[in-house]
Amino acid sequence: MLQLRRVRLENVGHRAAGFKSLVLDLTGGPASIDGRPARPVDVILWLRNGGGKSTLLSLFFSLLLPAKKDFIGALTAKSLAEYIPGGQVSHVIAEWGDSERPTSGAVLVTGGVYQWRDGQRPADPGSGWERLERRWYLLRPQPGGLEMDRLPVRAEGLQLSMSSYVKALEAAYKLERRLQLVVAQEQYAWEEQLGHHGLDPQVFMIQKVMNQEEGGITELFKFRTAEEFIDFLIDMIVDAAAPTAARAALSKHADKLAARPARELEERFLAEAVLRLRPVQKATAEAALAEQELGQQIQLARRAGEHIQAQAERREQESDSLRERAEDESREAEEAGDRVEGRRHRVAAVREAAARLRVSDCASAHATRLKAADAAEQDLSAWRTVPLLIDLADREAERQQVNQLLVRRNSCGRASSGPGTCRPPLRHSSPR
């Protein structure tokens, strides 16, 4: 029998008694001896009035009894819609253990996820019940994998929407088939899945009636007559649909008994056919194995071809790159040769201009030297004429002296004085 181990509530509850993120552990934690999961224990939840006890029970039973009429507060016109806030996604999750294997930990997780359509909560949630979207799911938790604590309620700190949450569960199920995930969109399908996995909604219906209101269990067992007690006992033990189901089962069994001779003949025929078809089965299996091997070889060949094609494309790209690089280098070499040739022409022109400048400088120097030579020649000629000029000057002075002597002699001859009155002038030698 399944036993409740833990309950997890996310963004759900009445405004006055809501649950942002709450986990109720009903096991007392792991065992202190060997660390194995402890078995569930009886728990008393003690809270003051208005602390949220009724809200907690209502949310838990709404997971197992999803019909609107089965909500604990249905008699007072309350429904699950009043406990789902707007703009958020609400979760009610229950973890179950097996009473026959108390140390095996969690064996089943059931959960309900609720969200208002378009994220808008109507002003009157009771009348807008149809706009409340609901999904239910159950799975087999795997140790170290997807457990109740690791459900993808949030991603990167943000809450997932209902559709994203269900897709995340389905993605985890594709990776781990042992989860045995089942997702239900309709409440009747959900009730069937609960019954298939050992959670009978009718049992929880009795517990829900006992918790319909505070002290409800006392009112449940108050009977005015013996007939009321018998009716209660029959309702609790016998399902109203059981006789109809029994009649249908008996009719089906009678039909099977009537068809038994034909089925036995068919069985003998099929047994003989199976014996005769075994060689065909063996050949089919061998053909399937050969086809599988052929498929593997084809896949390997395809992968090898793809690898060779990729290598060829890469080599071709490298060849194109090298060809482009060679062309660029050849172009750069031609441009460098053109630049060298241009520089050679410029050097020759510079050298020619320098030679011309040197020739011009030599011509100017030659002309200057010729002028200096002419001036020196003139100076030399002048210095050569100096002795002649000095000699001429002496001769001119001598001539003048002679002339003066002649003049004096002539003047003395005509004078009346005696011969001693005229003296010859003194002769001075002129410097040479």
Side-chain angles (χ1 to χ4, degrees):
M1 184 178 69
L2 295 180
Q3 292 179 314
L4 184 63
R5 293 176 53 85
R6 291 190 298 171
V7 178
R8 181 178 178 181
L9 303 174
E10 296 285 342
N11 298 322
V12 65
H14 197 271
R15 293 179 180 178
F19 304 98
K20 183 66 176 178
S21 182
L22 174 67
V23 176
L24 292 178
D25 191 349
L26 309 180
T27 64
S32 59
I33 300 176
D34 52 7
R36 291 183 299 175
R39 64 180 63 192
V41 296
D42 294 332
V43 176
I44 297 177
L45 185 62
W46 190 274
L47 284 175
R48 61 178 176 81
N49 292 336
K53 301 185 298 296
S54 299
T55 299
L56 178 62
L57 291 175
S58 300
L59 294 174
F60 172 71
F61 282 112
S62 68
L63 174 63
L64 304 171
L65 302 170
K68 184 178 181 181
K69 63 182 180 63
D70 293 333
F71 194 74
I72 284 183
L75 296 178
T76 57
K78 290 184 179 180
S79 66
L80 177 64
E82 298 182 10
Y83 295 83
I84 308 302
Q88 297 185 20
V89 181
S90 301
H91 296 265
V92 178
I93 307 168
E95 182 185 81
W96 306 84
D98 191 348
S99 60
E100 297 180 0
R101 295 178 297 161
T103 60
S104 60
V107 298
L108 185 68
V109 171
T110 58
V113 54
Y114 315 108
Q115 181 182 11
W116 288 104
R117 192 176 303 162
D118 300 329
Q120 299 295 325
R121 185 174 187 265
D124 185 6
S127 61
W129 171 263
E130 293 77 10
R131 299 187 68 249
L132 181 62
E133 297 180 348
R134 299 180 295 168
R135 295 290 186 276
W136 302 274
Y137 60 90
L138 57 84
L139 55 88
R140 300 287 181 181
Q142 300 300 315
L146 189 61
E147 299 178 294
M148 189 182 77
D149 296 331
R150 298 185 178 182
L151 291 175
V153 176
R154 293 178 179 83
E156 298 180 357
L158 300 177
Q159 191 179 29
L160 293 181
S161 64
M162 175 189 293
S163 59
S164 300
Y165 180 74
V166 173
K167 290 180 181 178
L169 292 179
E170 293 174 347
Y173 175 56
K174 290 181 180 179
L175 298 176
E176 181 56 79
R177 289 293 179 178
R178 290 181 298 175
L179 292 174
Q180 301 180 20
L181 174 69
V182 176
V183 179
Q185 298 185 9
E186 302 295 337
Q187 63 185 31
Y188 69 88
W190 175 239
E191 292 174 352
E192 290 180 357
Q193 292 298 330
L194 290 176
H196 294 334
H197 289 79
L199 296 172
D200 189 357
Q202 295 300 323
V203 175
F204 292 102
M205 180 69 72
I206 297 172
Q207 296 181 0
K208 189 266 297 185
V209 173
M210 293 167 57
N211 291 274
Q212 192 77 35
E213 58 185 14
E214 295 185 4
I217 187 170
T218 304
E219 297 295 331
L220 181 65
F221 288 99
K222 287 183 178 180
F223 305 104
R224 292 175 294 181
T225 62
E227 287 78 5
E228 289 184 359
F229 172 73
I230 294 173
D231 292 339
F232 169 77
L233 187 62
I234 292 175
D235 292 338
M236 184 174 63
I237 298 177
V238 180
D239 189 0
T244 303
R247 187 186 308 110
L250 291 175
S251 299
K252 187 182 296 184
H253 188 65
D255 295 338
K256 289 181 179 179
L257 290 176
R260 182 172 181 175
R263 294 292 176 86
E264 290 178 349
L265 180 62
E266 184 179 0
E267 182 180 3
R268 290 194 297 271
F269 170 76
L270 292 176
E272 186 68 22
V274 167
L275 292 176
R276 295 180 180 274
L277 290 176
R278 281 181 180 176
V280 178
Q281 180 185 9
K282 182 178 179 181
T284 303
E286 293 176 352
L289 181 60
E291 184 178 359
Q292 183 179 2
E293 293 179 354
L294 177 61
Q296 293 177 354
Q297 295 297 327
I298 292 174
Q299 187 175 6
L300 291 175
R302 185 181 296 110
R303 290 181 179 177
E306 293 175 354
H307 179 71
I308 293 172
Q309 181 67 22
Q311 292 292 331
E313 292 178 355
R314 188 169 62 85
R315 298 296 182 187
E316 185 176 359
Q317 292 177 356
E318 292 178 355
S319 176
D320 294 339
S321 177
L322 292 175
R323 189 182 302 109
E324 293 178 356
R325 188 182 302 173
E327 292 176 356
D328 294 339
E329 292 179 353
S330 177
R331 191 180 305 108
E332 291 178 358
E334 292 178 358
E335 293 176 355
D338 294 339
R339 290 194 296 270
V340 169
E341 187 66 23
R343 290 177 181 175
R344 187 180 295 113
H345 289 310
R346 287 196 293 273
V347 169
V350 169
R351 288 178 178 175
E352 182 179 358
R356 289 178 181 175
L357 290 175
R358 284 196 297 271
V359 169
S360 177
D361 292 341
C362 290
S364 299
H366 181 67
T368 304
R369 290 187 182 124
L370 288 177
K371 289 180 182 179
D374 292 341
E377 185 68 26
Q378 290 177 3
D379 292 341
L380 181 61
S381 299
W383 282 108
R384 287 177 180 175
T385 58
V386 167
L388 295 176
L389 292 175
I390 294 173
D391 190 24
L392 289 175
D394 291 343
R395 292 181 183 276
E396 181 67 26
E398 290 177 358
R399 187 183 63 80
Q400 290 179 1
Q401 288 178 2
V402 171
N403 289 334
Q404 289 177 1
L405 289 175
L406 291 176
V407 171
R408 286 179 180 178
R409 283 179 181 177
N410 293 329
S411 63
C412 287
R414 290 188 303 265
S416 56
S417 59
T421 59
C422 293
R423 292 179 295 174
L426 297 176
R427 187 175 180 178
H428 301 282
S429 62
S430 60
R432 290 179 181 269

